[in-house]
Amino acid sequence: MIAGRFSRAVVALVGVYSWAMTSTPPDQTVNPVTPGVSIDHPGVTELFALLAYGEVAAFYRLTDEARMAPNLAGRINMASMAAAEMYHYEMLRDALDQRGVDVVPAMTRYASALENYHRLTTPSTWLEALVKTYVGDALAADFYLEIADALPAEAASVVRAVLSETGHSQFVVAEVKAAVTASDKQRHRLALWSRRLLGEAITQAQFVLADHDELVDLVVSSPEGLLRLTEFFDRLQRTHNARMRELGLA
């Protein structure tokens, strides 16, 4: 489960953090308003819808980028990832159906931001496509699993299943690392590309959160509230740097 996750994660991630920092004075202790998140919380539906559109968008993007692969093995790996995305979309579709929600109109509300992100970060080479795929998998898994810890068990199980590791992303590490080890030029270029991905994602995240208060409330309704989110954002940067080192880009 890889490709669409970067867009899905940051669509909520940085915008929520920015909102939290401007909404809570630094010298005040945050006390949660509620003891937890109800299964009927509207943010759960919004989260499922956001994830669902990310899966569909990822499927089409992966099938397009598979054509950039220099060999059959690369195309097969991309095709396998695309298949996993659609399987996870179907899980989310069914979860929304059980909540009495039609998946298409629900997820369409997120189309503009996700498509704009992909438009601004269209890879021009196979290696750029691989870096975008790998970074996206890691960032989204971090963020959504953090949210899952605060969700009711039923909703959390859906999120964790959608984020289940398929193992396909590991081929990216070997290929990118080999390329950047052989070429300092490639290493510098892909390091810049990775920073650009994060920067563009932050911009789109801020736009989306401004229009979807339910997602913000879903996070801050957890027992740890804003404090947990702030600490998570700090951890995110550290883990992102570690993954850059894993790819040989730092």
Side-chain angles (χ1 to χ4, degrees):
M1 166 61 186
I2 295 178
R5 294 180 179 173
F6 186 63
S7 58
R8 296 195 305 270
V10 296
V11 155
L13 176 60
V14 184
V16 174
Y17 177 76
S18 298
W19 179 88
M21 293 298 95
T22 58
S23 299
T24 306
D27 58 343
Q28 294 184 9
T29 300
V30 176
N31 294 313
V33 177
T34 63
V37 177
S38 165
I39 189 62
D40 297 321
H41 192 294
V44 175
T45 296
E46 292 300 314
L47 178 62
F48 287 174
L50 173 58
L51 285 165
Y53 192 83
E55 301 293 345
V56 173
F59 170 81
Y60 285 110
R61 187 175 68 83
L62 281 168
T63 54
D64 285 343
E65 292 174 0
R67 300 186 180 96
M68 303 172 70
N71 51 49
L72 180 58
R75 291 192 292 274
I76 291 172
N77 277 311
M78 283 294 199
S80 296
M81 289 187 285
E85 302 289 1
M86 286 307 296
Y87 172 70
H88 290 135
Y89 159 76
E90 290 167 357
M91 295 175 59
L92 291 158
R93 177 201 61 200
D94 293 345
L96 285 167
D97 185 64
Q98 291 173 8
R99 297 172 70 85
V101 176
D102 186 344
V103 64
V104 174
M107 69 181 186
T108 300
R109 294 194 290 271
Y110 295 97
S112 177
L114 269 66
E115 293 302 328
N116 194 45
Y117 167 75
H118 286 305
R119 179 182 61 81
L120 293 170
T121 58
T122 301
S124 59
T125 68
W126 171 243
L127 289 173
E128 286 184 357
L130 292 180
V131 170
K132 183 177 178 180
T133 293
Y134 186 73
V135 168
D137 185 35
L139 287 173
D142 285 347
F143 180 61
Y144 288 113
L145 290 174
E146 188 91 4
I147 291 180
D149 288 341
L151 295 177
E154 179 183 342
S157 66
V158 173
V159 175
R160 292 191 178 102
V162 168
L163 296 176
S164 61
E165 178 59 57
T166 63
H168 298 303
S169 62
Q170 292 309 306
F171 91 95
V172 174
V173 176
E175 191 157 344
V176 171
K177 200 165 188 177
V180 301
T181 298
S183 170
D184 283 342
K185 181 179 179 180
Q186 285 281 22
R187 180 169 60 84
H188 293 310
R189 188 171 63 80
L190 292 175
L192 289 173
W193 170 244
S194 180
R195 288 193 286 271
R196 177 186 168 190
L197 292 173
L198 185 58
E200 294 290 357
I202 288 172
T203 300
Q204 296 307 313
Q206 292 169 336
F207 285 123
V208 170
L209 264 293
D211 293 331
H212 297 280
D213 292 340
E214 302 92 342
L215 289 174
V216 178
D217 188 61
L218 180 65
V219 177
V220 301
S221 292
S222 67
E224 294 84 2
L226 300 176
L227 177 60
R228 175 178 178 173
L229 185 63
T230 303
E231 292 173 345
F232 167 69
F233 193 86
D234 292 336
R235 291 196 301 274
L236 178 75
Q237 186 62 56
R238 293 195 297 271
T239 55
H240 176 67
N241 290 340
R243 286 164 185 140
M244 292 289 288
R245 289 192 294 272
E246 185 178 15
L247 290 171
L249 300 179

